[in-house]
């Protein structure tokens, strides 16, 4: 251990030249290298430059100095009553240790470790040969080292067991909504270095630590100046969350199937409709808690990956049961139905009752057609047959609704030009398809 006062700034209540306060901390004991004051009580103060924890002080009296014929080598040149004091503001002083009726040539005493910013020797009775005069050859103070904490707090939950400096292992439990905690460690030794999960954290200062679901081991490492270390460990268990973070549905053709209402983790019941041409539905469920498990209709399904497909006929209800790491459970359901058909099974253009060739040839999945007619043709009847007999059909020509007659929709072509005919089919499940027929009259 080294003397933390050596050559540090020193002041005193009084001195007379050349025996300045600095000569009591220069590491030299000689007749000319000492502090002298002719006014008692008197004090000699030193600022080591930082907050230090100390546990040993040394005062060397003039009686330790070798002189001619060892004239000072006796108790007459030792200070009688004096004490060590500490302060953090250089204003309020507190007694640390004291000596009375001293006759030794030097004082070398230890005490319980304590930390202060400023230190001083306060003399109330000076040299035995002249108690109204005091002189100190050397004032020394030695740093104490500790890797212990005096306090350790956490912002959520409760440390178990209650914090004790000599206990290194703790547990804590928090709810699923606690995404982080504030850790505040306070070191006994102000010069010790504290790291929380390998990141430096000043003593007494709060530090935020992010929590995952499940067990989070927070390590508070305390390293003293002499290299000694302590690791305080808090195992914080964040209760699992049984919420889904997202839920995406798609049919067997990989087309996205909208959920109604739009997904929100706080809503548990949904509806979904797959297209008439689709036959199955699958899901990509993702949990808030990445360690949670998911069962779709009782069968385990991967978290964040596509599930097995459910065949949809007249309708099904899929149920997701989410189980968190802490055994919390939550169920989501999707009621799935299938859109009815908005397709046509037939589309014809008739002139005087005779079907005309369309380009291309009609097919239920083809939605756009063309037809050329002679300049003498003043009307074309569009005949349609919906696949869903209950579907609604609306026919327009150049934006004007065409009334249905006994044989179909009579589109007037009285002038030359282009007639854009749209056949809109709306199924009973509100699925919509638009077939277009472009008629050109030359």
């Amino acid at each position: 251990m080294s003397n933390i006062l050596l050559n540090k700034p020193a002041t005193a209540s009084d001195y007379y030249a050349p025996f300045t306060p600095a000569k009591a901390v220069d590491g030299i004991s000689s007749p000319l290298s000492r502090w002298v004051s002719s006014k008692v009580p008197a004090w000699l103060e030193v600022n080591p430059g930082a907050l230090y924890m100390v546990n040993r002080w040394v005062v060397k009296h003039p009686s330790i100095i070798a002189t001619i014929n060892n004239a000072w080598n006796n108790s007459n040149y030792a200070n009688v009553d004096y004490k060590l004091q500490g302060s953090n503001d250089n204003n309020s002083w507190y007694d640390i240790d004291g000596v009375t009726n001293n006759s030794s040539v030097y004082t070398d005493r230890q005490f319980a470790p304590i930390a202060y910013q400023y230190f001083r020797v306060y003399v109330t009775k000076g040299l035995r040969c002249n108690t109204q005069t005091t002189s100190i050859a050397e004032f020394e103070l030695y740093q104490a080292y500790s890797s212990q904490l005096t306090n350790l707090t956490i912002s959520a939950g409760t440390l178990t067991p209650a914090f004790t400096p000599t206990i290194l292992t703790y547990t804590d439990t928090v709810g699923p909504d606690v995404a982080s905690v504030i850790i505040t460690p306070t070191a006994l030794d102000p010069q010790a270095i504290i790291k929380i999960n390998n990141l430096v954290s000043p003593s007494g200062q709060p530090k935020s630590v992010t929590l995952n679901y499940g067990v989070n081991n927070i390590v508070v490492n305390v390293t003293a100046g002499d290299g000694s270390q302590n690791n305080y460990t808090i195992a914080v268990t964040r209760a699992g969350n049984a919420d889904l973070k997202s839920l995406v549905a798609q049919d067997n053709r990989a087309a996205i199937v909208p959920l109604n209402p739009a997904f929100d983790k706080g809503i548990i019941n949904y509806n979904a409709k797959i297209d008439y041409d689709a036959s199955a539905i699958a899901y990509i469920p993702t949990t808030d808690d990445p360690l949670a498990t998911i069962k779709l209709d009782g069968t385990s399904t991967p978290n964040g990956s596509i599930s097995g497909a459910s065949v949809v006929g007249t309708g099904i209800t899929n149920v997701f049961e989410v189980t968190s790491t802490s055994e919390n459970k939550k169920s989501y359901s999707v009621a799935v139905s299938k859109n009815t058909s908005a397709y046509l099974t037939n589309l014809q253009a008739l002139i005087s009752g005779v079907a005309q060739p369309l380009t291309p040839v009609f097919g239920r999945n083809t939605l756009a057609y063309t037809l050329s007619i002679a300049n003498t043709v003043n009307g074309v009847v569009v005949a349609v047959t919906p696949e869903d007999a209950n579907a609604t059909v609306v026919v327009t020509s150049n934006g004007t609704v065409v009334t249905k007659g006994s044989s179909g929709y009579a589109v007037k072509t009285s002038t030359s030009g282009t007639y854009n005919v749209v056949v809109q089919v709306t199924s009973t499940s509100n699925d919509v398809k638009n077939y277009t027929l472009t008629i050109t009259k030359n």
Side-chain angles (χ1 to χ4, degrees):
M1 293 187 295
S2 60
N3 172 22
I4 65 170
L5 303 185
L6 184 62
N7 294 319
K8 294 297 173 65
T11 58
S13 57
D14 178 69
Y15 73 94
Y16 63 82
F19 306 106
T20 62
K23 292 189 175 182
V25 290
D26 63 1
I28 302 170
S29 296
S30 73
L32 292 179
S33 184
R34 57 194 176 97
W35 166 63
V36 179
S37 173
S38 59
K39 297 177 182 179
V40 176
W43 50 261
L44 170 67
E45 177 190 333
V46 186
N47 177 9
L51 189 68
Y52 280 95
M53 185 172 72
V54 295
N55 68 343
R56 177 189 170 205
W57 65 309
V58 173
V59 174
K60 296 179 179 178
H61 307 280
S63 52
I64 201 172
I65 300 171
T67 60
I68 298 174
N69 299 322
N70 291 323
W72 290 358
N73 192 14
N74 59 72
S75 61
N76 285 332
Y77 293 93
N79 293 287
V80 180
D81 296 340
Y82 47 96
K83 54 188 174 182
L84 175 66
Q85 294 183 319
S87 174
N88 285 324
D89 60 6
N90 202 22
N91 183 37
S92 299
W93 292 88
Y94 303 92
D95 293 346
I96 300 173
D97 192 20
V99 178
T100 58
N101 199 29
N102 173 61
S103 60
S104 298
V105 297
Y106 70 92
T107 300
D108 190 340
R109 291 169 63 95
Q110 292 190 347
F111 46 87
I114 194 167
Y116 283 108
Q117 169 77 53
Y118 305 93
F119 298 91
R120 73 182 184 182
V121 177
Y122 191 86
V123 181
T124 55
K125 193 172 183 179
L127 303 174
R128 284 188 177 274
C129 62
N130 182 0
T131 57
Q132 293 304 305
T133 297
T134 182
S135 180
I136 294 177
E138 283 295 312
F139 173 30
E140 300 172 359
L141 197 60
Y142 291 88
Q143 183 176 1
Y145 298 100
S146 175
S147 56
Q148 282 192 345
L149 294 177
T150 58
N151 198 18
L152 178 62
T153 64
I154 192 166
S155 61
T158 303
L159 288 183
T160 303
F163 177 75
T164 301
T166 56
I167 296 176
L168 301 181
T169 303
Y170 300 87
T171 61
D172 185 27
T173 301
V174 299
D177 294 333
V178 180
S180 64
V181 290
I182 303 296
I183 304 295
T184 307
T186 304
L188 175 63
D189 180 357
Q191 297 293 313
I193 297 174
I194 301 176
K195 291 183 179 180
I196 299 178
N197 288 350
N198 291 320
L199 297 176
V200 174
S201 179
S203 178
Q205 298 299 309
K207 191 172 189 67
S208 179
V209 178
T210 301
L211 298 179
N212 297 316
Y213 293 106
V215 178
N216 300 261
N217 288 314
I218 301 173
V219 178
V220 181
N221 172 268
V222 186
T223 302
D226 62 355
S228 62
Q229 294 187 17
N230 272 320
N231 284 323
Y232 294 82
T233 301
I234 310 173
V236 182
T237 301
R238 179 184 178 187
N241 190 331
D243 286 337
L244 284 178
K245 181 169 64 176
S246 65
L247 179 61
V248 177
Q250 65 181 52
D251 64 23
N252 56 294
R253 303 167 306 171
I256 296 298
V257 179
L259 296 179
N260 184 25
F263 179 78
D264 182 287
K265 67 181 180 181
I267 300 174
I268 60 173
N269 296 316
Y270 299 87
N271 293 299
K273 286 185 178 181
I274 66 171
D275 192 77
Y276 176 77
D277 288 334
S279 60
I281 191 169
Y283 303 91
I284 302 174
T286 305
T287 59
D288 256 354
D289 178 354
L291 300 178
T293 59
I294 308 171
K295 286 187 177 181
L296 171 56
D297 296 333
T299 300
S300 294
T301 193
N303 188 347
S305 298
I306 194 163
S307 69
S310 297
V311 176
V312 180
T314 56
I316 61 170
T317 298
N318 293 131
V319 177
F320 294 86
E321 183 177 78
V322 183
T323 303
S324 74
T325 49
S326 58
E327 300 301 316
N328 293 331
K329 291 186 178 182
K330 190 171 185 177
S331 292
Y332 293 81
S333 68
V334 182
V336 186
S337 59
K338 190 172 183 179
N339 284 328
T340 51
S341 176
Y343 286 109
L344 294 177
T345 58
N346 188 36
L347 171 63
Q348 289 183 314
L350 306 174
I351 299 176
S352 300
V354 178
Q356 305 299 306
L358 301 179
T359 302
V361 176
F362 175 77
R364 68 193 289 274
N365 294 312
T366 302
L367 299 181
Y369 301 90
T370 61
L371 172 66
S372 294
I373 61 175
N375 194 45
T376 57
V377 177
N378 292 320
V380 176
V381 174
V382 178
V384 298
T385 304
E387 196 167 47
D388 178 359
N390 295 314
T392 301
V393 177
V394 176
V395 177
T396 59
S397 175
N398 288 345
T400 301
V401 176
V402 180
T403 303
K404 183 180 180 182
S406 58
S407 57
Y409 298 87
V411 177
K412 295 180 181 181
T413 57
S414 54
T415 60
S416 298
T418 300
Y419 297 85
N420 294 309
V421 179
V422 178
V423 180
Q424 184 181 78
V425 185
T426 303
S427 73
T428 52
S429 60
N430 293 318
D431 193 18
V432 176
K433 293 195 182 302
N434 290 310
Y435 291 83
T436 61
L437 172 61
T438 303
I439 301 173
T440 303
K441 181 177 179 179
N442 298 317

